[in-house]
Amino acid sequence: MSIETELKLRITPEHLARLRRHGLFKTHQISAPVTRHLHNIYYDTPKLHLHKKEMALRLRRAGGRWLQTLKGGGSVRAGLHQRNEWEVPVALARLDFSVLPASVLKASLPPRLRNKLKSVFVTDFYRTSRLLEWQGAQIEVCMDHGEVKTAQHSTPICEVELELKSGEPQQLYELALALLDIVPLELETVSKAEQGFRLLSGYIQQPSKGEVPKFGKNDSLSEVLQALTWSCLHHLQGNVQGAMTSDDAEYLHQMRVALRRLRVVLRMAEKFRPDARLTALRGELVMLGSTLGRIREWDVFIAGVAEPLCALHAGDDGLQILLNLSEQQRAERYATLQGGDLRRELQRFMLRLAIWMNGVYWQQAEQGAPRAFAKRYLQRLEKRYKQTEQQLDSADSGQLHALRILAKKLRYSAECYTSLYGKKDVDNYLSALAEIQEILGEINDVSIAQHLLDELAKTPGLSAHPQTIVLARDWIDNNNPLNIKRLRKTARGFNSKQAFWRG
């Protein structure tokens, strides 16, 4: 058995052709490029028992010989795939279980499953591979193009795989960062085998919500912070491709949630142990979050103002102009996200974060006790929140915005440690805090909507309809007094809850 460590990068055919000709490879290659045709047959039971156990079994024809490979276990982090692998040559184009260890057969391929195995899909592609020396590591660079095919469906393959032969995972990300400076590419979390299983199941991509990892009582603070960071990055990556290719606004919303949670986690890491690269990453996060926020504002304005007004006053020409102008603004901002620069910068940030996560910071970090750290950190945040909340009756828009930010920080920070405490106490506290955050968010949406309406009112198309501007402004303003009243009541309820970390 070996452990396969590789970084997968999604790329377009035209950029793959350009990358193949780049001089970087000649400068660093140990071996000349070799192109092979690889035909892979994947096997599973009719009910896909192996896939459910996160296993993949295949026969690969490479030239005139066949290889049998069983993969399983491992993890995927920021496009880095690490899996156990049993690969052996076989004489014929059929499965041979005698070449696998008895322990593997017993655990993963008992007789009842072996008898049900059948071919379920194939991957057929050309691979150009060469070995590079990069920063002291040996990395095999494979450029693949072809397709995944089931009996009824197919999807193209076009990717670059960087497989670590010797060295550290950090060096794979460093090489990927250098390749990103040459052509656009994106971290790929889905393997070719997983693409095949998705074709079989009729998988439909949907926005992904984040999940807070569960921790054991013996986990160190270092382990907790690492798991939280990877979880946030996984949440972010689960929505990037959808945001780039879909008009579903939920992808962008989930990306922003992931970035906000990541900011909170990295801030905790900074308190745990300061680090210059960590501080720089947090600065990049602030810029990315701000840019995505400006895009998201138009989604909220359209859903909360323009569309409901058009539905309420069907046929109103001024309101239709308002909706059209809003959709135009949103389209222009989504074009910046789905276009070259911002899309590339997002990938660059994720690579730099992954490099830092695989670097010396965590090797030097003290262990620490999670609950003790959580208590100190959350108590300071809660104190700041309650000091700001005391000014609620006389708060202006700036103070309400500050309160909203503190509520977010407190909630996201508290959620990180929920598995270390009793579920009932945690749920009561966080549900009350979430309600406050929701109301403050609605108040903030009103403020932003007023600002966006001011922008639209200056455009020639809408300025000719002053009655529409008045109607929209009244619609926006009428929601605010109710939210302030709700906020006061909800804040009183939250203040009656005991913080779960004091128990």
Side-chain angles (χ1 to χ4, degrees):
M1 184 193 77
S2 62
I3 298 178
E4 178 186 60
T5 302
E6 61 185 19
L7 188 66
K8 294 181 182 292
L9 304 166
R10 188 168 56 251
I11 191 171
T12 64
E14 58 269 29
H15 288 132
L16 184 65
R18 179 182 165 194
L19 185 62
R20 187 180 286 117
R21 299 190 298 268
H22 198 271
L24 177 143
F25 298 109
K26 284 189 178 180
T27 302
H28 294 277
Q29 71 183 22
I30 300 172
S31 62
V34 175
T35 299
R36 296 176 296 162
H37 179 212
L38 301 179
H39 181 78
N40 305 278
I41 308 169
Y42 283 82
Y43 292 84
D44 209 326
T45 68
K47 294 186 177 180
L48 305 181
H49 286 90
L50 292 183
H51 182 235
K52 291 173 183 175
K53 294 170 66 175
E54 299 184 338
M55 307 287 288
L57 177 64
R58 77 174 183 219
L59 283 177
R60 164 173 287 179
R61 185 181 67 214
R65 67 178 192 143
W66 288 88
L67 291 172
Q68 177 178 285
T69 307
L70 178 65
K71 296 185 182 185
S75 63
V76 181
R77 286 178 168 174
L80 187 74
H81 299 242
Q82 291 184 303
R83 304 187 77 184
N84 299 326
E85 180 181 79
W86 295 266
E87 185 169 83
V88 289
V90 290
L92 300 171
R94 63 169 180 257
L95 297 173
D96 183 355
F97 300 109
S98 67
V99 298
L100 289 170
S103 59
V104 175
L105 288 173
K106 182 178 179 181
S108 304
L109 288 169
R112 63 181 178 81
L113 290 186
R114 276 178 257 167
N115 296 334
K116 298 177 182 178
L117 292 173
K118 64 172 186 175
S119 62
V120 288
F121 61 86
V122 301
T123 64
D124 193 80
F125 57 94
Y126 286 89
R127 164 169 288 177
T128 300
S129 58
R130 69 188 93 197
L131 192 63
L132 301 189
E133 183 171 1
W134 182 261
Q135 299 179 352
Q138 290 196 356
I139 299 172
E140 184 180 35
V141 179
C142 301
M143 301 182 183
D144 300 340
H145 66 96
E147 61 180 343
V148 183
K149 296 183 289 187
T150 67
Q152 289 84 26
H153 306 286
S154 67
T155 190
I157 294 170
C158 193
E159 62 184 34
V160 177
E161 287 187 2
L162 309 178
E163 183 172 352
L164 190 66
K165 297 300 185 181
S166 68
E168 299 297 327
Q170 178 183 2
Q171 292 158 311
L172 292 178
Y173 291 110
E174 294 277 11
L175 177 54
L177 203 54
L179 300 182
L180 184 61
D181 287 335
I182 301 168
V183 294
L185 44 79
E186 296 176 358
L187 291 163
E188 176 62 89
T189 59
V190 180
S191 67
K192 296 182 185 70
E194 181 60 28
Q195 290 183 47
F197 285 115
R198 288 184 174 188
L199 281 179
L200 279 175
S201 64
Y203 173 85
I204 298 174
Q205 186 180 27
Q206 293 181 337
S208 169
K209 293 188 177 181
E211 294 183 3
V212 179
K214 289 183 170 56
F215 304 113
K217 61 182 180 179
N218 295 323
D219 289 342
S220 70
L221 179 56
S222 175
E223 291 169 327
V224 166
L225 291 173
Q226 287 181 75
L228 288 168
T229 305
W230 285 123
S231 173
C232 292
L233 189 53
H234 180 73
H235 183 195
L236 176 63
Q237 283 187 287
N239 293 283
V240 168
Q241 189 179 12
M244 301 303 169
T245 58
S246 166
D247 59 359
D248 186 341
E250 184 64 16
Y251 285 110
L252 179 60
H253 172 62
Q254 289 300 326
M255 282 179 64
R256 293 186 65 230
V257 172
L259 288 175
R260 288 198 298 262
R261 292 181 185 278
L262 184 55
R263 281 181 65 182
V264 164
V265 174
L266 294 189
R267 179 60 176 161
M268 288 190 288
E270 204 167 35
K271 290 292 185 182
F272 170 57
R273 181 171 175 269
D275 178 74
R277 294 189 71 179
L278 171 54
T279 302
L281 286 167
R282 288 188 65 242
E284 292 179 40
L285 257 179
V286 171
M287 294 181 65
L288 282 171
S290 177
T291 302
L292 296 184
R294 287 192 291 272
I295 301 171
R296 172 73 175 163
E297 288 172 358
W298 287 102
D299 285 329
V300 175
F301 183 84
I302 290 169
V305 179
E307 287 181 340
L309 274 175
C310 281
L312 195 61
H313 302 277
D316 187 298
D317 291 342
L319 288 173
Q320 190 59 50
I321 291 172
L322 175 70
L323 178 58
N324 293 342
L325 288 171
S326 303
E327 290 177 338
Q328 180 182 336
Q329 290 290 331
R330 176 174 63 180
E332 289 175 0
R333 281 156 179 78
Y334 265 94
T336 65
L337 172 64
Q338 298 170 350
D341 292 342
L342 181 55
R343 189 170 185 167
R344 209 161 174 171
E345 192 53 42
L346 185 59
Q347 296 296 322
R348 190 171 281 112
F349 166 76
M350 291 191 289
L351 286 169
R352 283 197 283 252
L353 178 62
I355 289 169
W356 176 75
M357 285 295 292
N358 284 277
V360 297
Y361 178 89
W362 298 106
Q363 299 167 14
Q364 299 172 354
E366 304 84 358
Q367 294 304 298
R371 285 184 66 137
F373 177 87
K375 183 176 182 178
R376 292 193 304 271
Y377 192 84
L378 294 174
Q379 280 184 173
R380 285 196 297 266
L381 262 183
E382 187 186 50
K383 182 179 179 181
R384 288 174 58 200
Y385 168 81
K386 290 195 171 181
Q387 286 174 341
T388 306
E389 188 199 79
Q390 287 174 1
Q391 307 168 27
L392 183 58
D393 288 340
S394 60
D396 57 22
S397 59
Q399 291 167 317
L400 288 172
H401 177 72
L403 185 63
R404 182 177 67 90
I405 298 301
L406 283 169
K408 281 184 183 180
K409 288 180 179 178
L410 179 57
R411 178 190 172 191
Y412 293 153
S413 299
E415 282 178 343
C416 291
Y417 301 98
T418 53
S419 64
L420 300 176
Y421 298 89
K423 186 177 186 306
K424 182 178 179 180
D425 292 337
V426 169
D427 287 350
N428 287 340
Y429 183 87
L430 289 179
S431 61
L433 187 54
E435 189 175 356
I436 287 178
Q437 183 187 337
E438 181 181 351
I439 297 170
L440 286 165
E442 291 172 3
I443 293 172
N444 186 64
D445 289 344
V446 166
S447 177
I448 291 173
Q450 291 168 338
H451 172 71
L452 297 182
L453 182 60
D454 288 342
E455 286 186 24
L456 294 176
K458 298 174 186 177
T459 60
L462 194 59
S463 60
H465 295 269
Q467 72 282 2
T468 298
I469 299 170
V470 171
L471 184 62
R473 202 175 302 283
D474 288 344
W475 175 272
I476 294 168
D477 291 343
N478 284 340
N479 289 319
N480 217 15
L482 178 61
N483 281 328
I484 293 293
K485 185 177 179 181
R486 284 173 56 210
L487 179 60
R488 291 193 185 101
K489 180 180 178 182
T490 305
R492 288 194 297 271
F494 172 67
N495 288 331
S496 68
K497 307 291 183 185
Q498 179 175 327
F500 59 83
W501 59 83
R502 295 197 181 98

